Amino acid sequence: MMVRHLVTIDDLSEAEIQAIFSLADEFLASMPSPGSPHRIRGCLPLADQFVLATLFYEASTRTRFSFETAMIRLGGHVLSSADPKTTSAAKGETIADTVRVLQNYADVIVIRHPCEGAVKVASEYSDVPIINAGDGGHEHPTQTLCDLYTLQREKGSLKNLNVLLWGDLKNGRTVHSLVYGLARFGARIIPLPAEGFGLPEHVTRRLLRDYDCVPLSNDELIDAGTDKFPVDVVYVTPEKPHQRSLFSDVKEKGTDVLRVRLPHNALSKIDACYVTRLQRERMPGDASAENYPMVDTEFLKDRRYRHSSVMHPLPRVTELGYDLDDDARAVYFKQASYGVPVRMALIAALLQIKPDVLGAVPPKKRHSLFARSTVHCDNPNCVTGLETEQRYLTPKFLVIIEDERLTIRCQYCEHESIPEFIGRSSTKKYEPNRMRWESLPDDITLFTDEAAAIAAGYQPYKQRLKV
Ligand code: NCD
């Protein structure tokens, strides 16, 4: 069996996620804490042959401690690095070298890093499982497991839940993995971002393209566009697999066709509000939180929120009122507590202590991969932009052909870009980005604009490219 890693939430199939949840249920039931049914007590003799290393290049409380306590409660051992200044990264060591060394000392490695895609790089050089504990603004898949697990325990199922996403949806990595998870399990997503902090465009595009998750705009909503509920957009997922065809219709005919199938009053009840803090550390300069909204008992007075679970990945700053702490709808501390059984289950699955949880191979990716040293990721926070990693990394991309145009998704940070012009280095010719080929020529070069092509010494094609 090949080594499995967890870098993004789509490294796990829906069945595997559910199997992890069942195992987490078992741990909770077999290690009860009197009076606190969401908390684990005691230790099991399951992982005494194993060592887990936590390598954190960014601040953490919950994620690192819950991983470490999860390993200890499985009976295993822990090595921990919480301060990047104390590892050889401070001396200029690459991510690849660090994990190639660490894999000799630990059986599973948990990494948090400020650069998007850094944990993917680590997974490419490790023969022990690598777990992403958050890579820049990209993803935080184990937080998503905790979030989905909490929702499922609170609501019984994830299907058709209305989940409101609140706050900094632009920079919040927990949100970026959560939306894909929710879409895959058939929940409806209702983004309610702080002004200027909406979901990144590439995340929105991917929701639609890869998960048939379709946005409905405010005025197209039945019952939802009231003043009290100024929704920007709702993403609706297909209820049954065959409804994918209906969703292709939506792409062509617009969201009107969805009115027909969105049940009346479908959005009159919000099942969960997922609140997030302003991610200051991901923003240039001094970010202002002046107009950042707050969720408190006053906001939740509306009838729609009567049974809403209030969630937050924590830490909270000012976006979530302390007045909610005694409210029965507040589940954020329980959510943090579920981090332990969920991470115990994940570690036990990846280490094969529980061999039936994960399949032999990860779920297949939907798009084909291409590697080009001539093409670079345009995300300034991508790991491929780091000087240290440029010594050995070749940029790799997934190729997506959409609306006759080539879109590339960086294999590491997963940002997408649509170059305006495409050239071939063998002929030094360029033309507008209109794809007519199934596979890509080896010498492809991408240009953000025509001036860049001309500056690189390319000339326009007179005829269509032939391949
Ligand atoms: C989150 C993170 O690090 O992205 N925290 C966590 O792991 N629970 C959320 C945050 O820091 O806002």
Side-chain angles (χ1 to χ4, degrees), residues 153-173:
R153 279 186 73 99
E154 291 295 310
K155 303 290 170 189
S157 152
L158 299 168
K159 184 99 197 138
N160 289 338
L161 290 185
N162 290 331
V163 181
L164 195 123
L165 299 173
W166 177 276
D168 184 355
L169 312 187
K170 182 174 175 200
N171 302 299
R173 57 190 170 200

Side-chain angles (χ1 to χ4, degrees), residues 58-64 112 133-134 136 139-140 142-143 171-174 274 276-279 281-282 312-316 319 343:
E58 254 192 0
S60 170
T61 305
R62 267 149 299 276
T63 307
R64 188 168 64 84
R112 171 170 286 189
E139 281 208 25
H140 192 346
T142 66
Q143 180 65 47
N171 302 299
R173 57 190 170 200
T174 67
Y274 189 92
T276 60
R277 75 179 166 93
L278 180 68
Q279 306 281 302
E281 68 274 40
R282 315 240 173 269
H312 194 307
L314 301 177
R316 81 171 129 182
E319 67 287 342
R343 290 185 169 105

Side-chain angles (χ1 to χ4, degrees), residues 110-173:
V110 184
I111 305 178
R112 171 170 286 189
H113 198 281
C115 280
E116 288 144 32
V119 185
K120 176 71 181 171
V121 173
S123 72
E124 288 182 344
Y125 290 88
S126 171
D127 55 25
V128 302
I130 298 287
I131 302 174
N132 183 3
D135 58 331
H138 176 219
E139 281 208 25
H140 192 346
T142 66
Q143 180 65 47
T144 294
L145 291 178
C146 302
D147 299 341
L148 295 177
Y149 183 70
T150 306
L151 265 174
Q152 184 159 298
R153 279 186 73 99
E154 291 295 310
K155 303 290 170 189
S157 152
L158 299 168
K159 184 99 197 138
N160 289 338
L161 290 185
N162 290 331
V163 181
L164 195 123
L165 299 173
W166 177 276
D168 184 355
L169 312 187
K170 182 174 175 200
N171 302 299
R173 57 190 170 200

Side-chain angles (χ1 to χ4, degrees), residues 95-236:
I95 296 167
D97 284 358
T98 302
V99 295
R100 280 186 289 202
V101 171
L102 260 192
Q103 66 188 351
N104 299 302
Y105 311 149
D107 305 292
V108 52
I109 306 170
V110 184
I111 305 178
R112 171 170 286 189
H113 198 281
C115 280
E116 288 144 32
V119 185
K120 176 71 181 171
V121 173
S123 72
E124 288 182 344
Y125 290 88
S126 171
D127 55 25
V128 302
I130 298 287
I131 302 174
N132 183 3
D135 58 331
H138 176 219
E139 281 208 25
H140 192 346
T142 66
Q143 180 65 47
T144 294
L145 291 178
C146 302
D147 299 341
L148 295 177
Y149 183 70
T150 306
L151 265 174
Q152 184 159 298
R153 279 186 73 99
E154 291 295 310
K155 303 290 170 189
S157 152
L158 299 168
K159 184 99 197 138
N160 289 338
L161 290 185
N162 290 331
V163 181
L164 195 123
L165 299 173
W166 177 276
D168 184 355
L169 312 187
K170 182 174 175 200
N171 302 299
R173 57 190 170 200
T174 67
V175 170
H176 300 160
S177 353
L178 181 60
V179 287
Y180 301 136
L182 290 170
R184 285 169 58 195
F185 282 100
R188 296 191 197 96
I189 306 162
I190 306 167
L192 206 54
E195 205 184 323
F197 291 93
L199 282 171
E201 205 188 308
H202 68 96
V203 174
T204 296
R205 256 186 293 154
R206 184 163 160 194
L207 276 170
L208 175 61
R209 182 199 307 120
D210 289 0
Y211 306 107
D212 290 317
C213 190
V214 174
L216 281 178
S217 68
N218 192 11
D219 26 321
E220 284 164 315
L221 282 181
I222 304 152
D223 271 352
T226 65
D227 283 352
K228 280 200 170 159
F229 195 60
V231 174
D232 280 351
V233 34
V234 175
Y235 295 84
V236 184

